[in-house]
């Protein structure tokens, strides 16, 4: 087939798909004076083949190590299946409601850690910062009688300020993040113990605004059925509108876009999952405020990472510091801001813990909280090597961890078993990530 015939066929394929975007005009290398050849974006050809094209592309990504969240989704299905076979109460409405409620506190810490991991760094202080933030809130409200909402703002700003301090030592002085945050882990935990005093606990009134909202109270429990389905409908509608707007922008820019049929399929799948989750939660206690706030935080942070210049800079710095510098990115500012975000989310997570117990205690942010938060981000699919991940990994990872904890509790398993299984899952996630990176490099995409 001649070059002219190939060009005509490529143009015909694009027009048949109803789009003319994704075309690149190039001159043949062997004859610069010849007529330019129109090269069609391969994604158009994949979509033109329908289901077969998508299946071919899926297999190519798997072979190339581009697994995304596939391993954790498969793992979650396996975990739920095993526990349901062992105890038929596992997938009951009450148990699933419990999982959704308790995952949000540690999940908030995991959101902040996703930012740090995207840089290829680690923050070991988030557990201590979360405990310190809840303690500062309790001291301000209970001891000094400060307005609850002002105390909440100050507690969160404390977490942000601590993150800025850590980031400054790391980005400006050059102290390794591991050492800086390890010092923070010890130092901020000591400050928390000092503020709590000999009693080691400060009880917070149940009717305290932030504590009540983040604890057992819920805007959606009194009208659970209406609230849950409204939330599900809002999420589905937001995705539909956002996807159509993105399609319109990409059409106007003459770049590949998702066809309407694919958008409707994605939105339909989300609708099924959302309304099914709403129905399950309605059969229990309804939708907790903590879950709603956690999901809202995921949506906002996902937008920041994927749709803003700041988010692209975070990925760029995580992908290669020298390349980011040559591109004109202020690497130090990005590093400091990322640790500030991690500190802020740690403080918010601390307030979630305070809401669950209506107190600030010695155990706040202690124990295995830090390890579970890191494990959630990594198990969910965020790479320890930097430059690859998504905030939704915080949700997926926490679903895995909380499911394991709840399932083993139903089976009356010892805590030691929980730690061993969670550690094994974490190791498996890192192994998959490492193998995936090697596969991508072998395929020329690393």
């Amino acid at each position: 087939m001649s070059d002219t015939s190939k060009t005509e066929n490529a143009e015909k394929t694009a027009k048949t798909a109803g789009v003319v975007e994704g075309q690149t005009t190039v001159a043949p290398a062997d004859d610069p004076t010849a007529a330019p050849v129109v090269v069609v974006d391969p994604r158009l050809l994949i979509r033109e083949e329908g289901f077969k094209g998508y299946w071919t592309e899926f297999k190519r990504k798997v072979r190339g190590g581009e697994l995304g969240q596939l391993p954790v989704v498969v793992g979650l299905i396996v975990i739920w299946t095993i526990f349901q076979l062992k105890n038929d109460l596992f997938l009951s409405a009450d148990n699933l409601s419990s999982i959704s409620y308790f995952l949000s506190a540690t999940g908030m810490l995991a959101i902040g850690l996703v930012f740090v991991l995207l840089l290829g760094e680690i923050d070991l202080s988030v557990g201590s910062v979360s405990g310190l933030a809840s303690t500062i809130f309790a001291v301000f409200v209970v001891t000094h009688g400060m307005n609850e909402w002002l105390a909440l703002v100050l507690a969160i700003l404390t977490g942000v300020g601590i993150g800025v301090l850590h980031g400054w030592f790391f980005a400006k002085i050059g102290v390794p993040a591991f050492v800086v945050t390890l010092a923070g882990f010890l130092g901020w935990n000591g400050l928390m113990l000092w503020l709590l005093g000999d009693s080691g606990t400060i009880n917070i009134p149940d009717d305290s605004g932030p504590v009540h909202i983040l604890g057992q109270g819920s805007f959606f429990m009194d009208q659970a059925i209406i609230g849950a389905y409204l939330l599900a409908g809002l999420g589905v509608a937001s995705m539909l509108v956002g996807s159509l707007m993105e399609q319109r922008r990409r059409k106007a820019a003459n770049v590949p876009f998702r066809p309407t049929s694919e958008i409707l399929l994605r939105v339909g799948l989300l609708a099924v999952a959302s309304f099914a989750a709403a129905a399950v939660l309605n059969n229990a206690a309804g939708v907790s405020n903590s879950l709603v706030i956690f999901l809202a935080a995921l949506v906002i942070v996902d937008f920041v990472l994927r749709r803003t210049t700041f988010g692209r800079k975070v990925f760029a710095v995580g992908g290669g510091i020298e390349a980011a510098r040559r591109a004109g990115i202020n690497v130090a500012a990005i590093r400091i801001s990322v640790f500030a975000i991690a500190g802020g989310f740690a403080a918010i997570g601390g307030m979630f813990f305070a809401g669950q117990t209506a107190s600030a205690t010695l155990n706040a942010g202690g124990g295995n909280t830090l390890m579970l938060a890191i494990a959630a981000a990594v198990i969910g699919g965020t790479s320890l090597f930097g430059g690859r991940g998504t905030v939704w990994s915080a949700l997926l990872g926490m679903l895995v961890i909380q499911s394991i904890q709840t399932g083993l509790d139903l089976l009356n398993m010892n805590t030691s078993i929980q730690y061993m299984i969670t550690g094994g899952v974490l190791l498996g996630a890192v192994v998959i990530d490492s193998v995936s990176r090697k596969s991508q490099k072998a395929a020329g995409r690393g």
Side-chain angles (χ1 to χ4, degrees):
M1 183 181 292
S2 65
D3 289 341
T4 303
S5 299
K6 291 180 181 178
T7 302
E8 291 175 351
N9 287 341
E11 290 177 339
K12 182 179 179 181
T13 300
K15 292 178 181 179
T16 303
V19 292
V20 294
E21 91 297 347
Q23 296 178 349
T24 304
T25 302
V26 296
D30 55 347
D31 187 4
T33 62
V37 176
V38 179
V39 180
V40 182
D41 191 296
R43 285 172 289 187
L44 299 179
L45 302 178
I46 290 171
R47 286 168 181 161
E48 182 67 11
E49 293 179 2
F51 177 78
K52 180 182 178 182
Y54 283 104
W55 178 247
T56 301
E57 177 68 2
F58 172 77
K59 291 190 293 184
R60 182 196 66 78
K61 287 184 176 180
V62 172
R63 287 194 299 269
E66 301 175 46
L67 301 178
Q69 272 70 49
L70 177 62
V72 68
V73 171
V74 173
L76 187 61
I77 294 173
V78 171
I79 290 170
W80 283 14
T81 301
I82 292 175
F83 282 127
Q84 179 63 18
L85 293 175
K86 292 290 185 180
N87 190 321
D88 57 7
L89 293 177
F90 181 80
L91 292 180
S92 65
D94 288 335
N95 192 59
L96 293 178
S97 177
S98 177
I99 291 174
S100 69
Y101 174 70
F102 286 106
L103 64 79
S104 57
T106 308
M108 279 294 185
L109 274 66
I111 291 178
L113 282 169
V114 167
F115 279 86
V116 179
L117 291 173
L118 286 175
L119 296 186
E121 302 296 339
I122 195 67
D123 189 342
L124 300 178
S125 69
V126 292
S128 296
V129 173
S130 68
L132 178 61
S134 63
T135 300
I136 288 176
F137 174 83
V139 169
F140 282 155
V141 172
V142 177
T143 306
H144 299 288
M146 183 182 288
N147 177 273
E148 298 152 351
W149 296 103
L150 176 59
L152 173 66
V153 173
L154 291 177
I156 295 175
L157 289 178
T158 298
V160 174
I162 290 174
V164 170
L165 181 63
H166 292 166
W168 183 81
F169 275 107
F170 169 53
K172 294 294 188 179
I173 306 301
V175 183
F178 178 89
V179 177
V180 173
T181 57
L182 178 59
F185 167 78
L186 298 172
W188 305 125
N189 187 62
L191 179 58
M192 179 191 71
L193 297 178
W194 180 74
L195 290 174
L196 288 174
D198 295 334
S199 64
T201 301
I202 299 178
N203 293 319
I204 305 173
D206 291 337
D207 58 353
S208 174
V211 170
H212 177 71
I213 290 176
L214 298 177
Q216 298 299 326
S218 175
F219 293 125
F220 307 98
M221 286 183 178
D222 294 335
Q223 301 292 331
I225 295 178
I226 298 176
Y229 288 128
L230 281 178
L231 287 172
L234 178 62
V236 172
S238 298
M239 181 178 179
L240 176 61
V241 173
S243 299
L244 291 176
M245 290 178 63
E246 180 184 8
Q247 181 196 58
R248 182 178 179 181
R249 287 195 300 268
R250 296 181 72 85
K251 277 184 179 180
N254 286 331
V255 295
F257 58 86
R258 287 195 177 100
T260 303
S261 58
E262 182 181 342
I263 292 175
L264 293 178
L265 176 60
R266 288 171 175 264
V267 172
L269 293 175
L270 175 65
V272 171
S274 299
F275 283 99
V280 170
L281 294 177
N282 280 338
N283 289 327
V287 184
S288 65
N289 285 336
S290 57
L291 178 61
V292 174
I293 296 172
F294 177 53
L295 293 177
L298 287 172
V299 172
I300 294 172
V301 173
D302 178 65
F303 176 83
V304 170
L305 277 178
R306 295 194 303 112
R307 302 295 184 187
T308 66
T309 302
F310 172 77
R312 288 189 285 271
K313 289 180 178 179
V314 171
F315 280 102
V317 173
I321 296 175
E322 188 57 36
R325 285 198 181 100
R326 292 178 181 274
I329 297 175
N330 189 333
V331 174
I334 294 298
R335 285 173 162 176
I336 293 173
S337 62
V338 162
F339 277 91
I341 291 171
F345 273 104
I348 296 173
M351 292 307 304
F352 275 56
F353 285 122
Q356 292 175 0
T357 62
S359 65
T361 69
L362 294 173
N363 296 324
N368 61 346
T369 301
L370 168 64
M371 295 299 105
L372 290 181
I374 296 175
V378 176
I379 290 172
T382 300
S383 175
L384 280 170
F385 303 99
R388 188 176 65 190
T390 169
V391 293
W392 294 101
S393 62
L395 172 61
L396 292 172
M398 279 310 304
L399 276 174
V400 170
I401 291 174
Q402 197 63 49
S403 295
I404 292 173
Q405 291 183 330
T406 305
L408 293 177
D409 285 340
L410 285 176
L411 299 178
N412 295 319
M413 291 287 187
N414 191 280
T415 304
S416 60
I417 304 297
Q418 296 182 13
Y419 289 168
M420 288 187 283
I421 293 179
T422 303
V425 173
L426 173 59
L427 178 60
V430 177
V431 169
I432 291 174
D433 180 36
S434 300
V435 173
S436 175
R437 290 177 65 86
K438 289 183 178 179
S439 298
Q440 288 188 27
K441 289 181 179 180
R445 300 183 186 88

